[in-house]
Amino acid sequence: MFTKILIANRGEIACRVAATARRLGIATVAVYSDADAQAKHVAACDESVHLGPAPAKESYLCADKIIAAALATGAQAIHPGYGFLSENAGFAQACADAGLVFIGPPASAIDAMGSKSAAKALMEKAAVPLVPGYHGERQESDFLHAEADRIGYPVLLKASAGGGGKGMRVVERSEDFEAALASCKREAISSFGDDRVLVEKYLTRPRHIEIQVFADGHGNCVYLFERDCSVQRRHQKVLEEAPAPGMSCGRRAAMGEAAVAAARAVGYVGAGTVEFIANQDGSFYFMEMNTRLQVEHPVTEMITGLDLVEWQLRVASGEPLPLKQEQLHIQGHAIEARIYAENPEKGFLPSIGTLTRMRSAPAVEFTLAAPGATQPAAVRIDAGVREGDAISPFYDPMIAKLIVWGADRDAALRNMARALAQYQVVGLATNIGFLQRLIVGEAFATADLDTGLIERHRDALFPVPTAPTADTLALATAALLQQEQRNQDSRDPWARTSGWRLNTRLQRSLNFEDDSGNSEVRIDYAGDGRQWQLQIGGNTHTLALHAANSDSVRISLDGRTLQADVAWEGEGLHLFDGRSQHSLRLLDPMAHAGHAEAEGGRLTAPMPGKIVALLVDQGASVTQGTPLLIMEAMKMEHTIAAPSAGTVEALRYAVGDQVAEGAQLLDFKAA
């Protein structure tokens, strides 16, 4: 076994690998960029080496710097995690040439599966079922368009060297093909340095089911069952679970054996995942093989009681697989939710900022039971950031992976709903509320799964914002009153906030704003500073403030006890009541007098990014919804469209320009 390894990654996967290495007594070396000098993964390792500036191509993608760091620190092996260089055959070979062990498959296997086109040709020879499509080398636009017409729409364009949902486009009609191909190629070259694509028939209601395989250098290969990853947005996974709902023993064996055949076809060693598209009728087709550890590997660990990183380390050090196929068993059900800094209501745009608050359900330190031992913990959290850390525009905006286990799927669903309700994140937008709606929605709860689930249930998952309830407004009012009392100077009678007035009582109005609009609360100071009368929506309520501290409030409202955790963010107020988060902003008309600005013809950048395409010329007349330009942020493309019919009066940036969040991109005059 190794005595020291270097972890060539960042974030939660670097922390995850470090946890297993620590348990096995293996020293670890972290690498970091300028942006990550104080990151959690650096603190999780025994020593660290600086790589360079924040952009990945100047730090985490610099293979020579990483290998030099490993040699300088005396590391014997490099664990690549996932993403970055994890599926780079050249890097794997460079490690071997430098006398370092690459904790992953041999370069030849990565190379064989690295091109989706070449991989499909190999799978065809290995008798693994394939989706109808074109997987060849010809890349002329006209030729690919003709192939798409031949296959029949809808078709799926996929970057040949891609992964993680990047460089993928669904094309519904022949006339949309050219624009989709151009966009796909731009994203592919940006993310992978390779703009080749393949064209496949797009199945309308498929499930995404993947098989975890593991092989060693002694000729052994097993499958550790399946994961259902059907719930996706923008071809990126949102929820994963194991085992797949409705999976029969016969179908599991057939898919597992096909996955093992795929691994053997390329002389695979280590952890890998063979991904399949599965039809509702039970048929399945090879999609791709990921020659690394998957983001969603924890659900497999939770149902098997195995540590897949430990298996990786043992296999890479030359040991045989710890178990044979007949010794592997499924225990219970596990679900993983990816918690991202993003805004689902704005097309899942990434959100950047500082995590001024990050609290979660109680979770145990990462440990896994041996096969046949006690069941795993009900809640596990794999996070690469801490409270006070920043989510930057340079890397994936994942905050954490929330993994739960239950004796069956229903129990796991209950545990997930409870754990999501306990999450508290302040400082940036998150997808937590969206995940809560997704978990309790009829489609997911009843396992009516396919990759189009989110789009099919868009109305339920993205409901029209409704006004806050009287309970929420009462809690918000109490939080404000509590803050005012806490800030008063008890020695100054003029600063007291009890509401006392000579021969009368104080009455005041508060206005709270959220996505649904404005809500008014009228307060009548009826008591001694601990009790008030509230007018909300034409109804009168009696409010009493009980024991509270700086970040929580407990009240009685008409005799009912309510409580919530509280976080202030400037004029913004966040309430966490144990079921959901409510975000309100206190409107103080005097605080911003004279600050109003007519936005008029401004179209601004929703996040920091780079202009990759200008789709209109200065002076162009456009209709509402016309695409105007395309920005790239976090390696994903985002189209800026016309808010109404009008004229583009000026373009303020050129292709290739970097823009800051909020930058005015163009001047637009509405018709």
Side-chain angles (χ1 to χ4, degrees):
M1 179 55 75
F2 309 114
T3 57
K4 181 186 282 190
I5 65 170
L6 181 142
I7 304 171
N9 218 296
R10 65 177 301 281
E12 64 85 16
I13 186 57
C15 296
R16 162 72 190 87
V17 173
T20 289
R22 186 185 310 112
R23 182 171 60 81
L24 297 176
I26 301 171
T28 52
V29 181
V31 291
Y32 64 93
S33 70
D34 288 348
D36 282 340
Q38 304 301 320
K40 182 179 179 180
H41 78 275
V42 175
C45 292
D46 298 297
E47 54 187 301
S48 58
V49 177
H50 176 244
L51 290 177
K57 65 182 179 181
E58 300 177 53
S59 50
Y60 295 106
L61 290 175
C62 294
D64 54 343
K65 292 183 180 180
I66 291 170
I67 290 173
L71 294 173
T73 55
Q76 301 148 305
I78 295 179
H79 195 301
Y82 51 72
F84 294 137
L85 296 170
S86 63
E87 294 181 280
N88 187 305
F91 179 61
Q93 187 59 53
C95 289
D97 294 344
L100 297 165
V101 176
F102 178 77
I103 302 174
S108 58
I110 298 175
D111 196 48
M113 288 297 187
S115 165
K116 289 181 171 61
S117 301
K120 299 218 173 196
L122 277 171
M123 294 305 100
E124 193 169 22
K125 291 180 182 178
V128 178
L130 296 179
V131 177
Y134 175 72
H135 312 120
E137 291 299 314
R138 290 190 62 180
Q139 292 291 301
E140 306 95 305
S141 175
D142 291 346
F143 175 78
L144 292 175
H145 196 163
E147 285 297 299
D149 291 343
R150 176 187 63 80
I151 294 164
Y153 296 90
V155 298
L156 179 65
L157 291 172
K158 292 167 69 172
S160 185
K166 298 180 177 68
M168 297 177 69
R169 297 291 185 276
V170 176
V171 188
E172 299 283 354
R173 306 177 304 166
S174 180
E175 51 264 44
D176 298 333
F177 184 86
E178 296 295 335
L181 177 63
S183 178
C184 185
K185 282 181 169 289
R186 279 195 305 269
E187 199 165 279
I189 197 74
S190 172
S191 297
F192 314 111
D194 184 344
D195 71 352
R196 290 175 299 163
V197 302
L198 52 84
V199 188
E200 290 183 343
K201 180 67 178 175
Y202 184 69
L203 305 180
T204 53
R205 282 204 62 188
R207 288 173 67 178
H208 183 138
I209 296 177
E210 59 190 31
I211 305 293
Q212 176 73 60
V213 294
F214 232 108
D216 61 23
H218 303 273
N220 303 304
C221 187
V222 299
Y223 62 91
L224 287 86
F225 314 114
E226 78 282 354
R227 298 184 287 257
D228 192 308
C229 308
S230 299
V231 183
Q232 303 177 6
R233 50 84 171 146
R234 288 182 174 176
H235 307 292
Q236 289 184 309
K237 300 162 188 173
V238 177
L239 296 172
E240 300 101 352
E241 59 183 311
M247 177 69 77
S248 68
C249 293
R251 188 182 184 196
R252 175 176 292 124
M255 295 184 77
E257 289 162 8
V260 168
R264 290 190 184 280
V266 293
Y268 202 80
V269 175
T273 299
V274 182
E275 302 195 348
F276 294 98
I277 285 291
N279 258 332
Q280 300 292 332
D281 63 7
S283 58
F284 59 91
Y285 305 98
F286 173 85
M287 186 166 59
E288 62 183 337
M289 183 175 186
N290 290 308
T291 53
R292 53 170 167 78
L293 198 66
Q294 290 280 86
V295 177
E296 58 272 19
H297 76 274
V299 293
T300 296
E301 294 182 325
M302 296 289 266
I303 66 163
T304 60
L306 302 171
D307 184 334
L308 298 191
V309 174
E310 179 180 347
W311 276 39
Q312 282 188 299
L313 294 170
R314 294 193 180 283
V315 166
S317 66
E319 296 182 22
L321 292 178
L323 298 173
K324 298 185 180 300
Q325 190 68 58
E326 59 271 17
Q327 295 174 291
L328 297 168
H329 304 286
I330 294 174
Q331 179 186 7
H333 198 96
I335 303 173
E336 174 179 295
R338 302 187 187 192
I339 297 178
Y340 275 103
E342 64 183 13
N343 193 326
E345 286 71 27
K346 294 183 178 179
F348 295 97
L349 282 176
S351 177
I352 62 173
T354 300
L355 293 159
T356 56
R357 171 179 291 195
M358 190 174 79
R359 301 178 185 178
S360 60
V364 297
E365 182 70 18
F366 175 76
T367 56
L368 286 168
T374 56
Q375 66 186 37
V379 177
R380 166 179 161 184
I381 296 173
D382 287 10
V385 291
R386 303 152 297 192
E387 187 171 285
D389 287 348
I391 300 294
S392 79
F394 300 106
Y395 314 114
D396 186 90
M398 181 184 286
I399 295 173
K401 299 184 312 195
L402 174 62
I403 312 104
V404 300
W405 182 93
D408 54 31
R409 190 172 190 267
D410 287 344
L413 280 169
R414 290 192 297 272
N415 288 337
M416 177 60 76
R418 187 181 307 113
L420 283 171
Q422 292 177 277
Y423 240 102
Q424 300 181 12
V425 177
V426 175
L428 35 70
T430 76
N431 64 340
I432 292 174
F434 171 76
L435 291 171
Q436 289 180 293
R437 295 190 293 273
L438 194 54
I439 285 290
V440 301
E442 181 180 1
F444 189 77
T446 60
D448 181 17
L449 305 175
D450 66 80
T451 56
L453 183 150
I454 290 175
E455 285 303 315
R456 284 192 296 108
H457 295 274
R458 175 164 286 274
D459 289 347
L461 295 174
F462 300 93
V464 175
T466 57
T469 65
D471 288 0
T472 298
L473 292 171
L475 285 165
T477 300
L480 176 64
L481 295 170
Q482 172 184 296
Q483 184 187 59
E484 291 175 345
Q485 291 180 352
R486 193 164 52 245
N487 292 338
Q488 75 179 9
D489 184 351
S490 59
R491 298 167 299 178
D492 181 359
W494 306 108
R496 292 179 184 172
T497 59
S498 63
W500 180 86
R501 295 291 187 273
L502 182 65
N503 299 324
T504 187
R505 292 196 308 233
L506 173 64
Q507 294 183 334
R508 63 189 285 207
S509 292
L510 299 177
N511 280 285
F512 293 101
E513 180 185 51
D514 66 359
D515 290 341
S516 69
N518 297 343
S519 299
E520 183 183 25
V521 178
R522 295 186 63 82
I523 311 173
D524 186 328
Y525 284 67
D528 58 356
R530 305 300 295 179
Q531 184 169 304
W532 301 263
Q533 296 292 320
L534 305 183
Q535 288 284 337
I536 302 175
N539 297 313
T540 302
H541 305 272
T542 300
L543 168 70
L545 182 61
H546 297 315
N549 54 49
S550 60
D551 63 356
S552 68
V553 62
R554 185 167 177 266
I555 66 172
S556 286
L557 186 68
D558 303 331
R560 296 179 298 116
T561 300
L562 305 173
Q563 60 185 29
D565 289 338
V566 176
W568 286 93
E569 190 179 19
E571 296 169 343
L573 171 63
H574 304 274
L575 297 169
F576 304 90
D577 62 10
R579 297 180 301 278
S580 58
Q581 174 180 346
H582 307 277
S583 297
L584 303 168
R585 189 167 70 90
L586 179 65
L587 296 177
D588 183 349
M590 296 303 295
H592 300 285
H595 287 194
E597 178 186 358
E599 289 296 317
R602 293 167 61 94
L603 279 169
T604 58
M607 70 186 75
K610 181 174 73 173
I611 306 299
V612 297
L614 295 173
L615 306 179
V616 294
D617 296 323
Q618 182 172 322
S621 295
V622 297
T623 59
Q624 183 177 7
T626 299
L628 304 177
L629 59 84
I630 299 175
M631 286 183 59
E632 179 190 82
M634 297 181 176
K635 295 190 176 180
M636 298 293 285
E637 289 193 352
H638 308 277
T639 300
I640 307 298
S644 65
T647 304
V648 177
E649 295 193 320
L651 296 167
R652 294 186 169 235
Y653 293 94
V655 172
D657 287 350
Q658 293 284 340
V659 297
E661 181 176 5
Q664 184 173 342
L665 301 173
L666 50 83
D667 293 334
F668 181 81
K669 183 177 181 180

